[in-house]
Amino acid sequence: MTSIVNQQSKFSTKEQLRLNARKHVESGAVTQTYTLDRHKVIELLNAALASEWVCVLRYLRHYYMAAGLMMDPIKGEFLEHAKQEQQHADMLAERITQLGGAPDLNPAVFTERSPTEYHEGTDLQEMIKENLISERIVIDYYREVILYVGDQDTTTKRIIEHILAEEEDHADELANMLQGWTGK
């Protein structure tokens, strides 16, 4: 792959930009300046996608199964988190497609690929704890993805940073719930 950056000016000429755009038009949004291993990024994003779906399903399960004196506000949080996790899954699937990959939406492999686990929980406190554990897992996973893509894929980085911020909010809310439950 020839560098599109003109060594004297540090920028491509408009002619170089035009030539390269026409030469590789079938690559869509992925241009020659994309230096990461696309297949690795797609693999990381598909793992994140699986994790988001596992979280959607777990939060929905907890929403439907929550019972007890404190259930109404907690159920509301579970449902809201499920909706946000679905939005994250949509963002990840779109990015995978932009990178020329295929979002793997095979439910049979979600738990195999996902860094998070699917724990049903038997009571509200356990449900809160399991959701908090999963949020903590994805927080670490997304930080690792951000470090991997760095400034070489700023679009993926921005998407993951956005999702990470919401996951940190989820973890904070769940930690507060758990603290209120345990008094610690």
Side-chain angles (χ1 to χ4, degrees):
M1 177 169 57
T2 59
S3 173
I4 67 165
V5 178
N6 181 321
Q7 294 302 317
Q8 290 178 331
S9 68
K10 302 265 185 200
F11 289 97
S12 299
T13 66
K14 65 183 175 187
E15 290 80 15
Q16 288 171 314
L17 290 170
R18 291 172 182 169
L19 177 66
N20 285 324
R22 290 185 184 285
K23 188 175 178 182
H24 303 285
V25 69
E26 71 284 349
S27 297
V30 181
T31 66
Q32 284 183 289
T33 58
Y34 193 91
T35 58
L36 285 174
D37 177 350
R38 264 186 326 113
H39 300 292
K40 177 67 175 174
V41 174
I42 291 167
E43 177 186 320
L44 294 170
L45 294 177
N46 265 318
L49 179 62
S51 184
E52 293 297 338
W53 274 108
V54 168
C55 289
V56 168
L57 295 171
R58 188 185 55 258
Y59 274 122
L60 286 175
R61 162 81 181 183
H62 292 171
Y63 168 75
Y64 292 118
M65 296 304 296
L69 183 62
M70 303 286 292
M71 74 172 194
D72 287 336
I74 294 172
K75 279 182 75 154
E77 285 299 316
F78 288 166
L79 184 58
E80 182 61 31
H81 289 193
K83 290 177 182 179
Q84 289 175 342
E85 303 295 355
Q86 171 68 59
Q87 292 170 347
H88 300 165
D90 292 343
M91 295 168 69
L92 293 164
E94 286 288 335
R95 184 60 182 155
I96 290 166
T97 304
Q98 283 179 338
L99 291 172
D104 188 345
L105 296 171
N106 181 351
V109 297
F110 282 168
T111 56
E112 178 184 313
R113 184 179 305 114
S114 170
T116 60
E117 299 172 291
Y118 182 88
H119 288 286
E120 292 180 349
T122 56
D123 59 39
L124 279 178
Q125 185 177 3
E126 187 179 345
M127 291 176 192
I128 294 167
K129 185 176 180 181
E130 289 302 329
N131 286 317
L132 178 55
I133 289 167
S134 290
E135 295 295 353
R136 291 174 52 82
I137 291 168
V138 295
I139 287 167
D140 283 342
Y141 182 77
Y142 287 141
R143 284 188 181 134
E144 290 178 7
V145 172
I146 289 167
L147 289 173
Y148 177 77
V149 298
D151 291 333
Q152 296 177 61
D153 183 344
T154 53
T155 302
T156 297
K157 182 179 179 181
R158 282 193 312 268
I159 290 167
I160 299 298
E161 286 174 336
H162 171 79
I163 294 171
L164 174 61
E166 289 191 353
E167 302 296 9
E168 288 174 338
D169 286 343
H170 293 174
D172 190 46
E173 291 164 356
L174 292 163
N176 287 337
M177 285 182 213
L178 194 58
Q179 182 181 16
W181 202 283
T182 62
K184 294 180 184 177

